Amino acid sequence: MRSVDWNNVTATNDGGFTPLPAGPYVARLVEMKDNEAKEYVEAIYDIAEGEHAGYYSDDWGKSHPYAHHFFMSYKDSALGMLKGRLEAIQSSNPGFDSAAAWNAGRLDMFVGRLVGINLQEEEYERNDGETGTRLNVCQVIDAQSVRDGKVKPRDKKPLKKGGAGRPGGGQVVGTNPNPYGGPIPFD
């Protein structure tokens, strides 16, 4: 074992990881992944504006995309929500026709586009039976509404008593995130 000059080391907790606060953000889409078998597109984002811009651009964010994503289901039962999300992306990017890009199968055209998101803290049951907290996208809205302060943070969503949370989506705070801890929505 080697000796360390502790005077030149800054102490950190959890690897220096500082959780992103819940609330509204302008995000930039960085990747779109189609899961044709389950009929959804996973939209991976990073924070685009404000003091937390580039929050997920570090190595942690690149190796843990499940911590900063939302789903766009194209099942018949979810087409209304999909249309709302496409309209939010379109209104955030003047001149971009999100429906035409979607129908042409051009998910690459979404990469780099802005959209507003609202992140809500929610509790879930971890694999070890304990309660964890993560951030989850609770709203996809146009970016200008976020900039104008029209989108308000939502209260923390508590774990329902007697019901298990669904690990596997959102930013996990204070635990070791497990991307394979549970089913993905829309399965």
Side-chain angles (χ1 to χ4, degrees), residues 122-152:
E122 67 177 11
E123 293 180 339
Y124 71 98
E125 186 176 336
R126 298 187 325 210
N127 291 338
D128 62 5
E130 296 294 318
T131 299
T133 303
R134 64 181 170 213
L135 288 180
N136 195 32
V137 175
C138 65
Q139 277 183 294
V140 177
I141 56 285
D142 68 281
Q144 195 60 46
S145 291
V146 173
R147 291 182 192 115
D148 293 343
K150 295 179 180 176
V151 182
K152 302 300 177 206

Side-chain angles (χ1 to χ4, degrees), residues 69-80:
H69 66 175
F70 60 88
F71 296 95
M72 299 172 70
S73 174
Y74 49 92
K75 288 186 176 185
D76 287 339
S77 61
L79 290 178

Side-chain angles (χ1 to χ4, degrees), residues 53-75:
Y55 182 83
Y56 293 109
S57 63
D58 63 3
D59 288 339
W60 188 90
K62 290 176 184 172
S63 61
H64 298 87
Y66 56 87
H68 50 108
H69 66 175
F70 60 88
F71 296 95
M72 299 172 70
S73 174
Y74 49 92
K75 288 186 176 185

